Amino acid sequence: MASAEVLSRQAMANRIAMEFEDGWVVNLGIGMPTLCSNFVHPERQILYQSENGLVNYGPLAVEGEEDFNLVNAGGQYVIPLPGMAVLDHADAFALIRAGYVDVSVLGAYEVAANGDFANWKLGGRKGGGIGGAMDLAVGARNVFVMMEHTTRDGAPRLLERCALPITAPGVVTLVATTLGLFEVTSEGFVLREIAPGYSPDEVQAATGAKLIVPQDLREFQQGHSP
Amino acid sequence: MASAEVLSRQAMANRIAMEFEDGWVVNLGIGMPTLCSNFVHPERQILYQSENGLVNYGPLAVEGEEDFNLVNAGGQYVIPLPGMAVLDHADAFALIRAGYVDVSVLGAYEVAANGDFANWKLGGRKGGGIGGAMDLAVGARNVFVMMEHTTRDGAPRLLERCALPITAPGVVTLVATTLGLFEVTSEGFVLREIAPGYSPDEVQAATGAKLIVPQDLREFQQGHSP
Amino acid sequence: MKSKVYESFDAAVADIADGSTIMFSGFAGPGTPRNLIAALLAQGASGLTVISNTPGSWGDGPIDLKALIDAGRVRRVVAAFTAATHPSMRRAFDELYEAGEIEAELVPQGTLAERIRAGGAGIGAFYTPTGVGTETAEGKEVRSFEGRDYVLELPLRADYAMLRAHRADEMGNLQYVHTQRNFGPIMARAARTTLAELDGPVAAAGEIDPNQVHTPGIFVDRMVVVPADGIQEGARGG
Amino acid sequence: MKSKVYESFDAAVADIADGSTIMFSGFAGPGTPRNLIAALLAQGASGLTVISNTPGSWGDGPIDLKALIDAGRVRRVVAAFTAATHPSMRRAFDELYEAGEIEAELVPQGTLAERIRAGGAGIGAFYTPTGVGTETAEGKEVRSFEGRDYVLELPLRADYAMLRAHRADEMGNLQYVHTQRNFGPIMARAARTTLAELDGPVAAAGEIDPNQVHTPGIFVDRMVVVPADGIQEGARGG
């Protein structure tokens, strides 16, 4: 395991972004998922949507050139792209619920083998932070998750069933973690791609659900950022 | 009855328009009610709203100067006023249902002593024409009706109960007919003002509900068009 | 990304199948996709369900829904009018409807708009005060909230929406002018495929202020510019 | 018609009573009515119910809802966040909420927006797919339409709405710039009295294109222009 190294956040983000198809409307959750927009596929046009009312917004604004009235859902200043459109909050979520978002990439605390995931409330706390996650989870045509494979304490985040209150039942189909790429199927988690230097047994040991390891298991595909 | 003459449509419209208060948002139904906008009270600003998406539109366009994309709910070409706003159909009816229209003036086939009225379906017909009438009837803060006092055959239109399918129950509070001005109260129709030359008995004879004739019955107030 | 601009109305409507459900924008003329309707008439699709404010005009105006109905292409109508308010105004639709040869669902106009809006907003159903106590609420659930009665109404969706807009950019972002807007924005969101006919040429992306887009391009699939000799608004429709 | 332009923020908020329900626009900064909030803080109204995306920012930004909460003016919060997603981010709100000294209702953000929209659209209730199968649907009616489950949600209305807009005319017609828009248009319609603070001076009626009005003036009651030395957007809020 000397040569084994967990995947970087950008590597995970690139791998998720490789799934985006030409013309897709993509919503990126706060934090790690926003890194997906750094991956640019030269032949595919992606339209980034933000639930605070933007369609087709651009990259982060350079410091000193921010428009203080133009932020993404993470509160980061972004720049407009030609052909951008602005909506109010009701219309922004209407389009999410109506299925116009092709993929929502979200962070999570836990993902379960049945596609449930949890990302809004920590155990033992009274409050929670839902934001737009529940709407995106039920509205987007695909829900992909990016997260560390385990908690800081080493506890698995891929589980048979979520322990934390869930964000939506049965919606996640693809998960990128620091150890690989996991497809959620009706049989449970399938390990599609694995971090270089890791063995399936090592990944299974860090996972709280039974992994299906297919014959065509591949090494984690490393997209490169331009 | 030699000197008695039924009220003109414009006289009825003027009388209704005299009720409009400064700053009111007013929706005028197709036909007779549109005449209300000819009455201009010099000290009151009226905002005309049309359910096809206009707020604060102006008078009819002069022939040859129409904007073919600017019509009121009656399909008449109108002109914009400074400060006009355009909405889509959902937003236009949202504001109606939410109570932002101070008065809707509608035509009717029948009005009942309990405030019901009927204006969308004639007896014996399969189809009907509702348009925006049902939304205006339940949404507007006040519903006033303008209509001929009787049908072409002389049958009364003010009735104890509507015979035709109703547009909304219990919403009408004021009716101007060719014979007078009627308030709808919890006791039934009160004859507030009467057409010049008519007697209360004559009006009662042409009416299908018991009229309350108050001591302070007045002659129909003749507003004048500028 | 594939261009949304089509060279002809015929090409834009070519794949519309018999039995499709189509929403048509337009209110008393403005916003009516007359050139798309003309192409659809020529294309021949039949057994259509149409969702529109009216089943076409009463008078002799330029082409609108009445042409499809007169040609027997429409099986079912959802509209705020299934008869004119005056009995003297009759169309082919009225005859067909009374003879039971065409189905129709009569919906109060605000409820029609809200049902279309709900269809494009992922709402399962909603309660509106409109129509309570009338024939239109018969057979529907009525429920009280905060002491007021409301009737349960269901969303409307469609295979296609057809509308007319004033200006567009190549991303499909649309602007309407004045009451041309009417049902356009909500129908574009409630239909799987939206076809827009345009008053003017398609601008480059970036030429429309992002704050002034009435219908974002993600709701628009096909655009055709109305040529100078195309059907223009102006003669009256119903 | 009485002018909607107020000379000072103090005058605009003077009549707000204890116990009022107030909607506050703003998302991660843009659209937050910071000057109105500052005036309301000085005015002293307490026991407020506030409806907003968050109960104020987590960081050290310019004034927002957190100032009213920290000062003990707020009795109840309706928001899409009642805790930050990271436990290290804590505010006075979190302490008060966990201690039971402030009430809160946690609502998914799209449901929050739709409930506000319903409040300003005369809708009695609606069914949304959001939250089905989660804690937020507990105790609520769940119902199936066309094979999918939806949860019943009720409208939100308020005594006042406070928002920031970019430009206005004397009729009260508003335009927002970019994501300053967020909750402004829907809150203006859901509140009995709407107060807007403005980036720039009030234009004469007719200077805003009627096709480009984001919030029609009939929804706007009081406007105050933010002076040059007022609180401007730019330093970050939550």
Side-chain angles (χ1 to χ4, degrees):
Chain A
M1 256 189 71
S3 69
E5 204 174 313
V6 298
L7 298 162
S8 72
R9 294 179 163 210
Q10 189 60 57
M12 290 156 62
N14 289 355
R15 182 63 193 86
I16 289 287
M18 287 165 69
E19 300 292 313
F20 301 168
E21 296 178 16
D22 184 43
W24 269 22
V25 176
V26 172
N27 184 294
L28 301 179
I30 302 180
M32 248 193 271
T34 57
L35 297 172
C36 292
S37 63
N38 290 334
F39 179 84
V40 177
H41 192 297
E43 284 157 28
R44 295 181 198 162
Q45 185 172 8
I46 304 301
L47 305 177
Y48 290 103
Q49 187 268 351
S50 184
E51 62 266 31
N52 59 325
L54 296 178
V55 180
N56 196 32
Y57 68 94
L60 296 184
V62 173
E63 203 178 324
E65 307 211 334
E66 301 96 341
D67 177 334
F68 293 126
N69 282 311
L70 185 50
V71 300
N72 64 18
Q76 300 167 299
Y77 297 116
V78 295
I79 64 167
L81 286 186
M84 186 172 83
V86 181
L87 298 164
D88 71 29
H89 238 79
D91 282 347
F93 277 96
L95 80 85
I96 290 169
R97 282 189 310 264
Y100 282 99
V101 172
D102 292 288
V103 64
S104 171
V105 185
L106 293 163
Y109 304 138
E110 299 173 348
V111 179
N114 62 358
D116 293 3
F117 79 110
N119 80 344
W120 68 277
K121 191 179 191 177
L122 287 166
R125 294 182 86 193
K126 185 173 178 188
I130 300 175
M134 286 192 183
D135 299 281
L136 287 159
V138 303
R141 290 181 49 242
N142 296 281
V143 178
F144 298 165
V145 165
M146 286 174 63
M147 62 181 186
E148 309 280 334
H149 196 84
T150 57
T151 67
R152 213 171 298 179
D153 304 332
R157 293 181 183 275
L158 291 179
L159 304 170
E160 286 296 345
R161 289 292 176 273
C162 287
L164 294 170
I166 65 170
T167 304
V171 295
V172 177
T173 54
L174 195 69
V175 186
T177 77
T178 36
L179 295 186
L181 185 74
F182 304 83
E183 189 185 349
V184 183
T185 72
S186 56
E187 315 296 313
F189 290 116
V190 176
L191 177 61
R192 285 288 170 210
E193 299 176 12
I194 189 165
Y198 280 89
S199 72
D201 285 351
E202 286 167 329
V203 176
Q204 177 67 73
T207 303
K210 174 87 186 75
L211 291 179
I212 298 166
V213 182
Q215 295 246 315
D216 62 348
L217 170 67
R218 294 198 294 181
E219 187 168 283
F220 199 83
Q221 293 183 66
Q222 301 278 356
H224 46 85
S225 206
Chain B
M1 262 192 64
S3 69
E5 206 176 311
V6 298
L7 297 161
S8 71
R9 295 180 162 208
Q10 188 61 58
M12 291 156 61
N14 289 355
R15 182 62 193 85
I16 288 288
M18 287 165 70
E19 299 293 313
F20 301 167
E21 296 178 15
D22 184 42
W24 269 22
V25 176
V26 172
N27 184 295
L28 301 179
I30 302 180
M32 250 195 270
T34 58
L35 297 172
C36 291
S37 62
N38 290 334
F39 179 84
V40 177
H41 192 297
E43 283 157 30
R44 296 181 198 162
Q45 185 172 9
I46 304 302
L47 304 177
Y48 290 103
Q49 186 267 352
S50 184
E51 63 266 31
N52 59 323
L54 296 178
V55 180
N56 197 31
Y57 68 94
L60 296 184
V62 174
E63 202 178 320
E65 306 209 338
E66 302 95 341
D67 177 334
F68 293 126
N69 283 311
L70 185 50
V71 300
N72 65 16
Q76 299 168 300
Y77 296 117
V78 295
I79 64 167
L81 286 185
M84 185 173 83
V86 181
L87 297 163
D88 71 29
H89 237 80
D91 282 347
F93 278 95
L95 81 85
I96 289 169
R97 282 189 310 265
Y100 283 99
V101 171
D102 292 288
V103 63
S104 171
V105 184
L106 293 163
Y109 304 137
E110 299 174 348
V111 178
N114 60 358
D116 294 1
F117 78 110
N119 80 345
W120 69 275
K121 191 178 189 177
L122 288 167
R125 293 182 88 195
K126 186 174 178 188
I130 301 174
M134 286 192 182
D135 300 280
L136 287 158
V138 302
R141 290 182 49 242
N142 296 282
V143 178
F144 298 165
V145 166
M146 287 175 63
M147 62 180 187
E148 309 280 333
H149 197 84
T150 57
T151 67
R152 213 171 299 178
D153 304 332
R157 293 181 183 275
L158 291 178
L159 304 170
E160 287 295 346
R161 289 294 175 272
C162 287
L164 294 170
I166 65 170
T167 305
V171 295
V172 177
T173 54
L174 194 69
V175 186
T177 76
T178 35
L179 294 186
L181 184 73
F182 303 83
E183 189 185 347
V184 183
T185 72
S186 54
E187 315 295 312
F189 291 115
V190 176
L191 177 60
R192 285 287 169 210
E193 299 176 11
I194 189 165
Y198 279 88
S199 72
D201 285 350
E202 286 167 328
V203 176
Q204 177 66 74
T207 302
K210 174 89 186 73
L211 291 179
I212 299 166
V213 182
Q215 297 243 315
D216 62 348
L217 171 67
R218 295 198 295 181
E219 188 169 282
F220 198 82
Q221 292 182 67
Q222 303 277 357
H224 47 84
S225 203
Chain C
M1 224 165 72
K2 194 160 146 276
S3 169
K4 296 179 175 184
V5 182
Y6 281 60
E7 288 310 313
S8 75
F9 291 101
D10 292 340
V13 305
D15 67 350
I16 296 179
D18 289 354
S20 296
T21 295
I22 312 180
M23 292 175 171
F24 294 89
S25 186
F27 181 100
T32 305
R34 302 187 189 281
N35 296 275
L36 286 163
I37 291 172
L40 185 60
L41 184 67
Q43 188 258 22
S46 67
L48 303 174
T49 293
V50 302
I51 299 169
S52 175
N53 189 53
T54 75
S57 54
W58 275 268
D60 288 323
I63 188 168
D64 65 16
L65 261 190
K66 72 176 179 306
L68 287 171
I69 291 168
D70 291 2
R73 303 290 174 70
V74 176
R75 188 183 67 77
R76 184 160 188 273
V77 166
V78 181
F81 294 87
T82 53
T85 40
H86 200 282
S88 68
M89 298 159 77
R90 287 181 71 80
R91 301 155 298 184
F93 168 81
D94 302 64
E95 315 288 344
L96 292 166
Y97 180 47
E98 287 172 18
E101 285 168 30
I102 194 167
E103 292 170 40
E105 181 179 353
L106 180 60
V107 185
Q109 197 174 142
T111 301
L112 181 67
E114 190 67 11
R115 290 178 65 189
I116 295 165
R117 192 264 172 194
I123 296 299
F126 61 90
Y127 290 94
T128 181
T130 303
V132 170
T134 78
E135 239 182 66
T136 65
E138 280 174 17
K140 293 179 181 168
E141 178 189 320
V142 173
R143 185 161 166 179
S144 185
F145 296 96
E146 296 185 18
R148 187 173 191 192
D149 284 346
Y150 296 82
V151 58
L152 183 71
E153 295 284 355
L154 299 174
L156 288 169
R157 295 186 195 89
D159 300 309
Y160 298 92
M162 296 190 183
L163 58 86
R164 182 150 177 160
H166 189 58
R167 196 157 170 254
D169 68 19
E170 57 194 358
M171 303 293 291
N173 292 311
L174 303 183
Q175 291 183 320
Y176 309 88
V177 63
H178 296 327
T179 57
Q180 182 189 60
R181 192 183 313 189
N182 63 75
F183 289 92
I186 52 175
M187 287 182 171
R189 294 181 336 211
R192 211 160 43 216
T193 301
T194 294
L195 290 71
E197 59 177 77
L198 304 172
D199 289 348
V202 177
E207 287 193 26
I208 295 181
D209 179 346
N211 295 293
Q212 309 301 6
V213 171
H214 297 137
T215 293
I218 56 171
F219 304 128
V220 178
D221 301 281
R222 305 175 190 175
M223 301 188 287
V224 191
V225 177
V226 177
D229 63 351
I231 308 164
Q232 308 295 348
E233 201 54 57
R236 302 308 311 277
Chain D
M1 222 165 69
K2 192 160 145 276
S3 169
K4 297 179 176 183
V5 181
Y6 282 59
E7 288 309 313
S8 75
F9 291 100
D10 292 341
V13 304
D15 67 349
I16 295 179
D18 290 353
S20 296
T21 295
I22 311 179
M23 292 176 172
F24 294 89
S25 186
F27 180 100
T32 305
R34 303 186 189 281
N35 296 274
L36 286 163
I37 292 171
L40 184 60
L41 184 67
Q43 189 257 23
S46 66
L48 303 174
T49 292
V50 302
I51 299 170
S52 175
N53 188 53
T54 74
S57 54
W58 276 267
D60 288 324
I63 187 168
D64 64 18
L65 261 190
K66 73 177 179 306
L68 287 171
I69 291 167
D70 291 2
R73 304 288 175 72
V74 175
R75 188 184 66 77
R76 185 161 187 274
V77 167
V78 180
F81 295 86
T82 54
T85 40
H86 200 281
S88 68
M89 298 158 78
R90 287 181 72 80
R91 301 153 299 184
F93 168 81
D94 301 66
E95 316 287 344
L96 292 166
Y97 181 47
E98 287 171 18
E101 286 168 30
I102 193 167
E103 291 170 40
E105 180 180 352
L106 180 60
V107 184
Q109 197 175 140
T111 301
L112 181 67
E114 189 67 12
R115 289 177 66 189
I116 295 165
R117 191 264 171 193
I123 296 299
F126 62 89
Y127 289 94
T128 181
T130 303
V132 170
T134 78
E135 239 182 68
T136 64
E138 279 173 18
K140 292 180 181 168
E141 177 189 320
V142 173
R143 183 161 167 181
S144 184
F145 296 97
E146 295 186 17
R148 188 174 191 190
D149 283 347
Y150 296 82
V151 59
L152 183 71
E153 295 283 355
L154 299 174
L156 288 169
R157 295 186 195 88
D159 301 310
Y160 299 93
M162 297 190 182
L163 58 86
R164 180 149 178 162
H166 188 60
R167 195 158 171 253
D169 68 20
E170 59 193 359
M171 302 295 290
N173 293 311
L174 303 183
Q175 291 183 320
Y176 309 87
V177 62
H178 296 327
T179 57
Q180 181 188 60
R181 192 182 315 186
N182 62 75
F183 288 93
I186 52 176
M187 287 181 170
R189 293 179 341 206
R192 212 160 42 214
T193 301
T194 294
L195 290 71
E197 58 177 76
L198 305 171
D199 290 346
V202 176
E207 286 193 26
I208 294 182
D209 179 347
N211 295 294
Q212 309 301 7
V213 171
H214 296 138
T215 293
I218 56 171
F219 304 128
V220 178
D221 302 281
R222 304 174 190 175
M223 301 187 287
V224 191
V225 177
V226 178
D229 64 350
I231 309 165
Q232 308 295 350
E233 201 52 56
R236 303 308 311 281

